Amino acid sequence: MKHLIQHIFLSGLMLMSLFTNAQQTPAGKQTETISITGVTAHVGNGTVVNNATIVFDNGVITEVGANVSPKGKIINAEGKHVYPGFITVNSTLGLGEVDAVRASMDVNEIGSISPNIRSLIAYNAESRVVESMRPNGVLMGQIVPRGGRLTGTSSVVQFDAWNWEDAAVKVDDALHLNWPNSFSRGRWWLGEPAGYSPNKNYSSEIETFKTFLTDAKIYAKTKPAKKNLAFEAVQGLFDGSQKLFIDATSEKEIIDAVTFAKEMGIDKVVLVGAYHAYKITDFLKQHNIPVVVGRTQSTPSFEDDDYDLPYKNPKLLHDAGLLVTINPGGRMERMNTRNLPFYAGQVVGQGMDKEDALKLITSNAAKILGIDDKYGTLEVGKSATLFISEGDALDMRGNVLSHAFIDGRNISLESHHTNLYQRYSNKFNEQQD
């Protein structure tokens, strides 16, 4: 009992520490016209404008070009670079804070099929992990629930808000399905053979999805008096108002998953993970499937893979003509999402054009999420969600932000990390004196 009380007490202290230094106060609405001058503008669609001026008012870009006259408040950014805000896809940001503190985690739900679980209402806009994204230019993201097979419904948010209502950019944009593996690794602790063996439950697990979606279609036609929240949550898949993100790895799983979705009448499908998608690009092009490929700074999954496959995977898919973005999922995915620009920069080292690599986390991500009418590029009529960097934002040596804006609001770039940096820099300087 004594140890239990100590554990509860320490957990309480850790929770208190999470909220003692809350996130920076969200910025107010843009109140005057702002012009950024003398800057290199990386539009996000593959083009670059040198010595550009960008003008925005009421949160919307009104002028972009080399021969634009500045208006209103002028920010002289000569020698610097402007980028669209980076967008992360398939993230759990805001759903978990400290892995070791269970009370701060709201990532997974109980149950195998839970499409009515909505990530948006669980999103913590004051997360200090979310706050740490902004100094690297990651300003927006798709927030996805985990757990089970049909995990729930995601939403797209921006990363400077008072609460989830303020944060919402696109509500309930997609549902997420973890496709079963056709092979499973033996569990030695249960006496199973080592290595991979066929998954005996593969067909039955797929049949479970099929039965559920078939019943959901019947439910929509019959319209019973008693509501079924799970059935209602998937109706957007059939009328095209929502996309289905399917997490699948190998060629067989990918082909089975896409074929299944098409047979069920689901037209808008996005592939997630897609480790071996480069082997079946013709199939994916035939069905117009965008890909959210795994993060580049990782090691190969199988012994016979190229040693640099994770580094070059996005380029292989891009060169094949697919619409690609990068998924920061994996170990410590929430914390590591701040490295999103460097994941894209990794692909430049594999021979990808730098502006094409930028598209991976700007315009491509916006298109996959269906928000490209407002976000993802520096174009007239689109949201002034952008930032000014001292240098190359895809290189950690150049990714030093001086300003960042979300919908024209001049947001804070302070975070727990920057506070600690300043604190210990002062200590170091004092010791040097």
Side-chain angles (χ1 to χ4, degrees), residues 13-71:
L13 288 178
M14 291 182 71
L15 278 174
M16 289 176 62
S17 70
L18 296 179
F19 302 105
T20 302
N21 298 314
Q23 187 183 37
Q24 297 295 320
T25 301
K29 291 184 178 180
Q30 183 180 1
T31 58
E32 60 180 331
T33 302
I34 297 176
S35 297
I36 303 173
T37 63
V39 73
T40 299
H42 301 264
V43 178
N45 60 5
T47 61
V48 178
V49 181
N50 295 313
N51 194 27
T53 295
I54 301 174
V55 183
F56 52 97
D57 190 25
N58 292 321
V60 177
I61 297 173
T62 57
E63 296 180 84
V64 180
N67 299 310
V68 172
S69 300
K71 303 172 182 64

Side-chain angles (χ1 to χ4, degrees), residues 272-295:
V272 179
Y275 187 73
H276 284 150
Y278 72 94
K279 297 181 178 180
I280 50 171
T281 53
D282 288 341
F283 171 82
L284 297 174
K285 286 175 64 178
Q286 176 188 346
H287 292 283
N288 192 29
I289 306 296
V291 181
V292 186
V293 73
R295 66 191 188 196

